[in-house]
Amino acid sequence: MKKFSEYATVVLFCGIILTLSVLFLALPDQAFSRQENRTLATAPSLNADSFFSGQFASDLNVYIADQFPFRNSFLRVRSFFELMLGKGENNGVLYSYDQLAVKEFDAYKSRMEITEDTDRIYLDTVKAQLEVLNRFSASLEIPMVTVLPGRTIDVCESAFTYERPDGDDVFEAMNALLEENAGYIDTLSLLRDRYDGGEYVMYKTDHHWTTLGAYYIYCEIMKELGKEDRIVAPDRFEKELIADFSGTTAAKGNFPVYARDFLELWHLPDDGEYTVTVDGEPLDGFYERSYLDVADKYSVFLDGTHNVTEIRKPGEERETLLIAKDSFANCLIPFLAREYDIVALNLRTNTALSAAVETYSADALLIVYNVENIITSADLGNLK
Amino acid sequence: MVFSSLIFIFAYLAITLIVYYISPLKLRNLVLFIVSLAFYGWGEPKYILLMLISIAAAYGFGFLIEKYRDVDRKRAKLFLILSLCVNLSFLLFFKYFNFFAHNLGFAGIDNLTLPVGISFYTFQIMSYSIDLYRGAVPCAQKFVPFGTYVTLFPQLIAGPIVMYRDVYRQLQSRKETVSMFASGVSRFVMGLSKKIVLGDSAAALAESLEAANGFQPTVLGTWLIMIAYTLHIYFDFSGYSDMAIGLGRMIGFEFAENFNYPYIARSITDFWRRWHITLSTWFRDYIYIPLGGNRVGKLRGFFNLAVVWFLTGFWHGADWNYILWGVYFCVFLILEKAFLRRFLDKCKIFAHIYSLLVIGFGWTIFFHSDIGAIADSALHMVGIGAAWGNTGVLYALLRWLPFLILGIIACTPYPKRWIQSLRERYSAVEAISPFVIALLLLLSIAYMVNDTFSPFLYYIF
């Protein structure tokens, strides 16, 4: 028996290494990983510079890992093992029975780099941005609405044992500091109540709110703009279900077993009458259906994020709503487009909003900016 | 190159083993010498030259030391000193120049990069010269086997510190067997998974605790960080030694053991007989005993200890915290010699608690280059300036509890004993073990592949 086990050990070890090496060399390189939605590394080029600087060595390591045979299976094995160890998270994604959420660890880390103090400097930077928002709203002559969506970990707090170190501090600061002019809507309480009540307002596998969640926010925005009577009732929409949606959070967590989501596209009979352009290119309606076949399904809404997205209804004279936003607005905009002509600007690249209000002769301004973005960027602080 | 990388296992090791085993016996040392240089030069080739000069110097002076060893002690000693000077000057310059330049106020020139493994191979080379002078080993006649001894890739970068006297016979003739290769494979894979699954997890635990503890220092968090450090360094370092010993066996070498369950030690004296054994042996044989060891007066004995432990600390790194770390252990060793030993022998439970506390806090010193942070940790552990706990720390504790339990068990000899007794009782265990090893290898590969797992998250935009 001892002889057998010795030979078996040697044969298995050499067999595994040789088989995987040969497969690595024999199999063609994959250009793209659907699983990770990114381009995989290709063979690094070898020259004297790259070799002596050590760049070649580290590139080669990345290349081997990226093109490793059965890469996705190995990744699953790892996340399965991590789950078995009871860690309840993988790659910074929290796992619970039917909800995934990105931990706020990334924000945590960036805070660690900002300061050596244990002071909550990030809360201070958030507050500073809120001040700018206040000043900006005071100078604005048209009505303004501010929507600052929480992260999944904020809204779906009840699904996890994980307690956010700073709790709702950021949201309390928003409630306390934002002035009347900013037209702030507390989306956190609203969505959290609905989530805890069992409504499907946040995706399980993605960080965005669902179409239903966006609908509730749309109602609040309409009320804030004094258009409560113009809200389209939910039962007037024809709802198209897109099954088997798996979002970015699931991609990051890479768990072997998890719930699936579905996307909803809400249609009205006259949807075909709108003209939609993204960065000057025409789009066929609110939904770019080619995304339904790829990993990045959420981009079905208005073709994902663009610098300028414009929506009009030819033949009708309507008010113009200027929206400065991130991707949370993408599934919200179709609702608002039924009431307003829309000019939506990517807030990361467009912060000169006063000028934009002039340019587009906007009648109202809406800001939609996710808390993660507020924490990790200073974009709101650049508003003018 | 590090052992726990895909490139090492699938390119370097695969090629090395094939070339090694198809080469005729006569050429095998040369093969090892060449592939070891490639291993060393991978990623940072410029320091190969430095290592070769060190080797050549010791090799050359070796003939002179041998020539005068029995006829002219003084001259032999002179050549020994010259040989040591060449080696030590490289070590001093490349490892400690930054430290001295920085502390003596020459700012701006303290940016030398440390040649990988220089601390280890310098000590190996010195062991040859000194043992040769003492007549304990024969003079290395051929350059290649001697070069192979120093550069042998399994132990080149992080030990164990292999003494020439232990391996020179194996360099001349060794017999590679299936049995040895198989035990090497098992040892290597165990070490690999120990490092990757346990060691890296403990490092991640320490990192998440540090993040949670960073905003609001807590008693619980500071203690847990200490435990995480303690697990991390043991799994990392002993995993590396396991891999080195395993790789050695695959090519027919038997290296000395480097760890013997250090955390079951009942005193600090005991700990240092179980932790990094080859280093302690080196300092004992080449510094402590030549200074007179403990066969001198009490005060002189303490002085000898102090010298050895100052050097041990400084060897670990060119920074004040390493010196402090060495001196810290020296204090406990002296206390134990003076009176503590008698208490420890009487009460085993107290001895274990005491040893683990001293060792654990030692790692807190080891991991903080900032002396102020060490003092803070000490204060936080006893509740001064710290809350009892916070939600972040509690969450981390809950999440990592299974790992902590697993890790603590893995530090004891019990798992090995259980497997041993199972083996004796059921013959099937023997038959299953190759497959367990294969699964551990695949699991480790999965962790290594995950290193580049970075889904592009088109995150908010």
Side-chain angles (χ1 to χ4, degrees), chain B residues 19-41:
Chain B
V19 174
Y20 182 77
Y21 278 101
I22 60 172
S23 301
L25 287 179
K26 273 188 176 171
L27 288 180
R28 285 187 177 176
N29 280 340
L30 182 63
V31 167
L32 285 180
F33 190 35
I34 293 169
V35 296
S36 296
L37 287 177
F39 174 82
Y40 187 76

Side-chain angles (χ1 to χ4, degrees), chain B residues 93-113:
Chain B
F93 182 72
F94 283 95
K95 187 164 180 172
Y96 298 105
F97 179 78
N98 288 351
F99 177 75
F100 289 113
H102 182 75
N103 279 293
L104 296 174
F106 301 106
I109 51 169
D110 50 348
N111 51 8
L112 271 177
T113 53

Side-chain angles (χ1 to χ4, degrees), chain A residues 5-6 36-38 60 66 71 74 81-82 85 87 89 91 94 108 118 162 207 248 251-252 327 346 373, chain B residues 7 10 45 179 201 214-215 395 399-400 402 430 446-447 449-450 452-461:
Chain A
S5 98
E6 282 171 353
E36 293 168 60
N37 192 42
R38 70 174 172 97
L60 190 60
D66 267 12
R71 171 174 171 85
F74 276 117
F81 193 77
E82 291 278 291
L85 277 177
K87 289 187 190 169
E89 62 174 75
N91 296 326
L94 298 169
Y108 237 107
T118 49
Y162 176 75
H207 58 284
T248 56
K252 191 176 184 208
S327 62
N346 180 352
N373 272 337
Chain B
I7 185 144
F10 289 95
S179 166
S201 285
F215 303 105
Y395 170 74
R399 186 164 101 71
W400 290 88
E430 191 72 45
Y447 272 72
V449 170
N450 193 72
T452 64
F453 177 73
S454 55
F456 173 63
L457 287 182
Y458 38 96
Y459 184 54
I460 302 288
F461 292 95

Side-chain angles (χ1 to χ4, degrees), chain B residues 233-255:
Chain B
I233 193 157
Y234 172 65
F235 291 134
D236 207 85
F237 195 8
S238 78
Y240 200 91
S241 288
D242 288 340
M243 287 189 268
I245 291 168
L247 289 167
R249 281 190 197 151
M250 286 187 216
I251 49 174
F253 284 91
E254 194 64 64
F255 299 145

Side-chain angles (χ1 to χ4, degrees), chain A residues 1-10 12-14 16-18 20-21 35-38 51-58 60-66 68 71-75 77-79 81-82 84-91 94 102-103 105 108-109 111-112 116-120 151 161-165 206-208 246-254 295-299 305 325-328 346-348 369-370 372-373 379, chain B residues 1-2 4-11 13-15 17-18 38 41-46 177-186 188-189 192 196-198 200-202 204 207-217 247 250 390-396 398-403 406 423 427-461:
Chain A
M1 194 51 92
K2 194 161 187 311
K3 266 251 130 37
F4 162 80
S5 98
E6 282 171 353
Y7 276 95
T9 306
V10 175
L12 280 172
F13 180 76
C14 297
I16 288 171
I17 289 180
L18 283 181
L20 289 172
S21 301
Q35 171 82 20
E36 293 168 60
N37 192 42
R38 70 174 172 97
F51 183 76
F52 285 101
S53 67
Q55 188 60 40
F56 178 74
S58 65
L60 190 60
N61 228 352
V62 171
Y63 169 62
I64 295 179
D66 267 12
F68 205 78
R71 171 174 171 85
N72 290 342
S73 309
F74 276 117
L75 294 177
V77 166
R78 191 243 182 208
S79 57
F81 193 77
E82 291 278 291
M84 287 294 96
L85 277 177
K87 289 187 190 169
E89 62 174 75
N90 191 37
N91 296 326
L94 298 169
V102 177
K103 210 168 127 182
F105 195 66
Y108 237 107
K109 267 202 223 156
R111 269 184 294 168
M112 294 295 281
E116 289 179 338
D117 277 322
T118 49
D119 270 345
R120 304 211 199 137
R151 299 153 295 196
T161 50
Y162 176 75
E163 279 196 62
R164 295 159 302 140
D206 195 83
H207 58 284
H208 293 108
S246 176
T248 56
T249 315
K252 191 176 184 208
N254 198 28
D296 183 13
K297 285 196 174 65
Y298 183 78
S299 290
T305 294
K325 55 102 184 170
D326 59 23
S327 62
F328 274 73
N346 180 352
L347 184 61
R348 177 139 294 177
Y369 216 51
N370 176 257
E372 178 80 19
N373 272 337
D379 298 332
Chain B
M1 209 182 305
V2 289
S4 53
S5 67
L6 293 168
I7 185 144
F8 175 79
I9 295 170
F10 289 95
L13 186 60
I15 293 169
L17 288 177
I18 291 170
W42 180 255
E44 202 180 38
K46 59 182 172 185
T177 62
V178 172
S179 166
M180 203 163 169
F181 194 97
S183 86
V185 166
S186 307
F188 174 76
V189 173
L192 182 68
I196 289 181
V197 180
L198 298 177
D200 291 353
S201 285
E207 192 186 327
S208 66
L209 285 166
E210 275 168 349
N213 218 35
F215 303 105
Q216 181 200 23
L247 289 167
M250 286 187 216
N390 64 29
T391 51
V393 170
L394 276 174
Y395 170 74
L398 275 180
R399 186 164 101 71
W400 290 88
L401 199 57
F403 166 78
L406 188 76
R423 220 176 231 171
S427 59
V429 174
E430 191 72 45
I432 295 168
S433 68
F435 299 96
V436 175
I437 293 294
L439 286 177
L440 280 177
L441 175 64
L442 290 171
L443 183 66
S444 305
I445 293 170
Y447 272 72
M448 288 187 272
V449 170
N450 193 72
D451 278 351
T452 64
F453 177 73
S454 55
F456 173 63
L457 287 182
Y458 38 96
Y459 184 54
I460 302 288
F461 292 95

Side-chain angles (χ1 to χ4, degrees), chain B residues 4 21 47 49 56-57 84 131 194 245 268 303 342 349 358 391 410 427:
Chain B
S4 53
Y21 278 101
Y47 286 130
L49 196 62
L84 297 182
D131 279 351
K194 201 173 182 182
I245 291 168
I268 297 308
F303 171 78
R342 271 167 283 149
I349 293 176
V358 173
T391 51
S427 59

